[in-house]
């Protein structure tokens, strides 16, 4: 037996909580530009072009002697970064729990990720290995820092405030992503007017996301505060406690079944988000400015889609609404296979479909899962939820990359993702969620 830390809750005055909450919102504002500008828009197509410049006559690069198709390098690197994050999160959470010092750890990983992102300015020529290393460091750091930031939510808000505080942070992130994309779009489309080459403009866009991340991370690091901890006897480490939670989940097989369904279809969602820019640039031959505009459209419509699906869920229930969104995802991805090359209008239509279903399907999945958690185990189950989520999100990019390497077609690669939505739909449809809520010991809502 070892020790764990028990942290104080959302104590303090209302003014004090609001000050911390406003600071906490700014971490989403700081880091979301990485996900939007770097991972979703610029890095995939640009790193792929750098990798192709380093490829041999057969289109392969050989990192550490391993033959890799230049077109698959980005997808494989994303998978490696997720695996690195999954290995780090239990170790970092154990240190955070034992010491109660989440803020220094948040700062360390936020600035490690911001520095790696800023260093992408030096990604030129055929330096594909540098790009791969920086992507792994930045993406893994972003995941770990996000986990630490989320851990502050119960401490800076009362139960009654939590939904509103969480939603505002989410909105801050989308707003920052949209604003940075507008600035990126101006710089990229007018790079000649600024005396810049296209390559330099892209590298500035990548590096500026790191600078933005680092500058605005100062606000939450100044306003958030670590809580005093008390030591009690319990399991010694976060990995040990995670295993205990997973063993407890076996007593609630319907909850575990929902978690499996979510992990499958959410993997498809995350892969579409990270690989759509490569599909648009490499397969459809679209300009970078078109891709940026499409992602900006997704950012705006994701908020509207989440609100719309929330209204639908109040009438038809969350499970039916999520199932409907998965059917829509299948239709959207299937339509992408038949898209004509060079047609921006059709790509904007695809982006609109993604935006309308993306935010709502993820938000409703989280709320639906919350009904399936036994009372008093919310933190434990959501910790397992987050780590398990990260643990499987390497599979979609791997399938995407392997399909391209085997077929040489990004159309085949994108259509391969349909299996994630179809299988997730079938797994979710089989779960009697009303019985699952009752068996978890919770009150069954009228609409579910």
């Amino acid at each position: 037996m070892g020790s764990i830390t028990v942290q104080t809750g959302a104590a303090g005055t209302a003014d004090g909580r609001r000050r911390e909450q406003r600071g906490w919102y700014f971490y989403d504002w700081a880091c979301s530009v990485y996900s939007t500008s770097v991972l979703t828009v610029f890095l995939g197509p640009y790193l792929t072009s750098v990798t192709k410049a380093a490829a041999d006559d057969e289109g392969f690069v050989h990192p550490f002697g391993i033959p890799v198709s230049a077109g698959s390098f980005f997808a494989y690197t994303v998978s490696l970064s997720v695996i690195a994050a999954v290995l780090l999160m239990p170790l970092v959470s154990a240190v955070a729990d034992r010491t109660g010092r989440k803020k220094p750890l948040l700062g360390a990983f936020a600035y490690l990720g911001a520095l790696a992102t800023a260093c992408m300015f030096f990604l030129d020529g055929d330096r594909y290995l540098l790009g791969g290393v920086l992507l792994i460091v930045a993406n893994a750091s972003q995941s770990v820092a996000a986990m630490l930031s989320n851990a502050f939510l119960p401490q800076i808000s009362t139960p009654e405030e939590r939904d509103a505080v969480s939603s505002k942070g989410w909105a801050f992130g989308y707003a920052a992503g949209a604003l940075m994309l507008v600035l990126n779009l101006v710089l990229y489309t007018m790079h000649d007017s600024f005396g810049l080459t296209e390559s330099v403009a892209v590298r500035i866009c990548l590096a500026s996301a790191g600078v933005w991340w680092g500058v605005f991370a100062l606000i939450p690091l100044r306003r958030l505060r670590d809580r005093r901890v008390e030591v009690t006897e319990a399991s010694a480490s976060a990995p040990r406690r995670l295993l205990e939670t997973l063993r407890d989940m076996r007593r609630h097989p319907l909850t575990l079944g929902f978690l499996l369904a979510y992990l499958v279809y959410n993997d498809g969602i995350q892969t579409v988000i990270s690989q759509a820019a490569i599909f648009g640039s490499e397969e459809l031959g679209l300009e970078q400015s078109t891709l940026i505009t499409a992602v900006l459209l997704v950012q705006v419509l994701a908020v509207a889609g989440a609100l719309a699906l929330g209204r639908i869920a109040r009438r038809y229930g969350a499970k039916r609404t999520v199932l409907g969104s998965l059917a829509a995802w299948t239709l959207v991805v299937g339509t992408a296979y038949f898209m004509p090359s060079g047609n921006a209008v059709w790509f904007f239509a695809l982006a609109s479909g993604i935006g309308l279903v993306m935010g709502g399907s993820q938000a409703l999945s989280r709320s639906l899962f919350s009904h399936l958690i036994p009372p008093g185990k919310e933190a434990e189950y959501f910790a397992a939820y987050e780590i398990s989520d990260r643990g499987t999100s390497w599979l979609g990019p791997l399938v995407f990359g392997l399909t391209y390497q085997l077929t040489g077609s990004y159309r085949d690669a994108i259509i391969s993702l349909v299996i994630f939505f179809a299988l997730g739909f079938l797994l979710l449809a089989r779960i009697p969620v009303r019985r699952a809520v009752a068996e978890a010991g919770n009150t069954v809502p009228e609409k579910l």
Side-chain angles (χ1 to χ4, degrees):
M1 300 293 286
S3 63
I4 62 171
T5 57
V6 179
Q7 301 181 334
T8 60
T13 65
D15 287 343
R17 288 200 309 275
R18 281 194 291 270
R19 175 180 168 80
E20 285 194 273
Q21 289 164 9
R22 288 191 291 268
W24 185 77
Y25 300 150
F26 271 95
Y27 189 73
D28 273 332
W29 177 273
C31 73
S32 292
V33 297
Y34 166 81
S35 299
T36 304
S37 290
V38 176
L39 196 61
T40 304
V41 178
F42 285 106
L43 189 58
Y46 185 71
L47 182 56
T48 299
S49 69
V50 171
T51 308
K52 287 182 174 180
D56 57 25
D57 293 338
E58 296 180 351
F60 282 78
V61 290
H62 301 269
F64 311 108
I66 303 170
V68 175
S69 169
S72 299
F73 181 75
F74 174 71
Y76 291 158
T77 307
V78 171
S79 293
L80 286 175
S81 71
V82 173
I83 292 171
V86 170
L87 294 175
L88 280 170
M89 279 194 283
L91 300 175
V92 175
S93 63
V95 174
D97 280 345
R98 288 177 179 178
T99 64
R101 294 176 59 80
K102 289 191 290 293
K103 189 165 76 168
L105 290 168
L106 172 61
F109 281 97
Y111 279 100
L112 179 61
L115 178 62
T117 306
C119 286
M120 290 178 186
F121 178 80
F122 302 105
L123 177 58
D124 62 351
D126 59 358
R127 298 177 178 175
Y128 77 97
L129 269 180
L130 173 63
V133 171
L134 292 176
L135 171 57
I136 290 172
V137 172
N139 214 36
S141 297
Q142 195 268 351
S143 297
V144 175
M147 177 193 71
L148 292 164
S149 175
N150 290 339
F152 275 99
L153 179 59
Q155 297 181 340
I156 63 173
S157 57
T158 65
E160 293 76 17
E161 296 171 333
R162 208 157 296 160
D163 288 344
V165 171
S166 179
S167 297
K168 287 179 182 177
W170 185 76
F172 261 59
Y174 272 103
L179 176 58
M180 178 59 88
L181 275 182
V182 171
L183 298 176
N184 290 158
L185 185 60
V186 171
L187 177 63
Y188 182 80
T189 56
M190 300 178 64
H191 61 81
D192 288 334
S193 301
F194 294 110
L196 303 173
T197 65
E198 181 178 341
S199 173
V200 172
V202 171
R203 287 158 48 204
I204 290 175
C205 291
L206 292 171
S208 65
V211 174
W212 177 292
W213 188 356
V215 169
F216 285 106
L218 289 170
I219 298 175
L221 291 175
R222 284 181 62 86
R223 293 199 172 187
L224 293 172
R225 62 184 180 86
D226 286 321
R227 266 62 177 176
R228 181 179 58 84
V229 300
E230 299 174 0
V231 180
T232 60
E233 287 297 312
S235 301
S237 67
R240 173 89 175 265
R241 293 196 298 278
L242 175 62
L243 290 176
E244 291 171 354
T245 301
L246 293 176
R247 281 196 291 267
D248 184 69
M249 279 186 173
R250 295 174 60 185
R251 298 170 47 245
H252 303 280
L254 295 179
T255 300
L256 202 56
F258 174 84
L259 184 59
L260 175 62
Y262 170 74
L263 296 180
V264 170
Y265 66 74
N266 186 59
D267 202 357
I269 293 173
Q270 297 303 322
T271 307
V272 171
I273 293 170
S274 67
Q275 304 301 320
I278 285 186
F279 176 75
S281 63
E282 298 294 320
E283 186 65 42
L284 302 183
L286 299 175
E287 298 291 334
Q288 191 75 26
S289 57
T290 300
L291 300 178
I292 298 172
T293 304
V295 174
L296 180 59
L297 186 62
V298 169
Q299 294 288 110
V300 174
L301 290 179
V303 178
L307 295 174
L309 288 183
R311 288 179 175 272
I312 294 172
R314 283 199 293 270
R315 180 170 182 178
Y316 296 103
K319 178 184 175 181
R320 289 181 180 179
T321 307
V322 171
L323 288 172
S325 75
L326 295 181
W329 271 109
T330 303
L331 178 63
V332 168
V333 173
T335 302
Y337 180 84
F338 300 100
M339 278 197 163
S341 299
N343 192 315
V345 174
W346 280 104
F347 193 71
F348 289 149
L350 175 68
S352 299
I354 291 174
L356 288 172
V357 296
M358 180 177 68
S361 55
Q362 292 177 305
L364 289 175
S365 295
R366 181 172 62 178
S367 63
L368 189 56
F369 181 69
S370 69
H371 290 292
L372 309 180
I373 301 173
K377 295 182 178 289
E378 292 83 4
E380 295 178 21
Y381 273 60
F382 268 115
Y385 177 89
E386 183 172 355
I387 293 175
S388 300
D389 182 6
R390 300 289 183 180
T392 60
S393 58
W394 58 270
L395 185 58
L398 180 62
V399 170
F400 186 93
L402 283 173
T403 304
Y404 175 80
Q405 182 157 333
L406 293 173
T407 67
S409 169
Y410 282 107
R411 293 184 187 272
D412 291 337
I414 200 75
I415 201 68
S416 70
L417 301 179
V418 166
I419 189 172
F420 289 93
F421 300 110
L423 181 57
F425 182 99
L426 293 175
L427 290 172
L428 178 58
R430 290 170 56 88
I431 297 173
V433 291
R434 301 186 73 84
R435 180 155 63 93
V437 174
E439 290 183 0
N442 295 315
T443 301
V444 180
E446 182 180 350
K447 293 290 184 181
L448 189 59

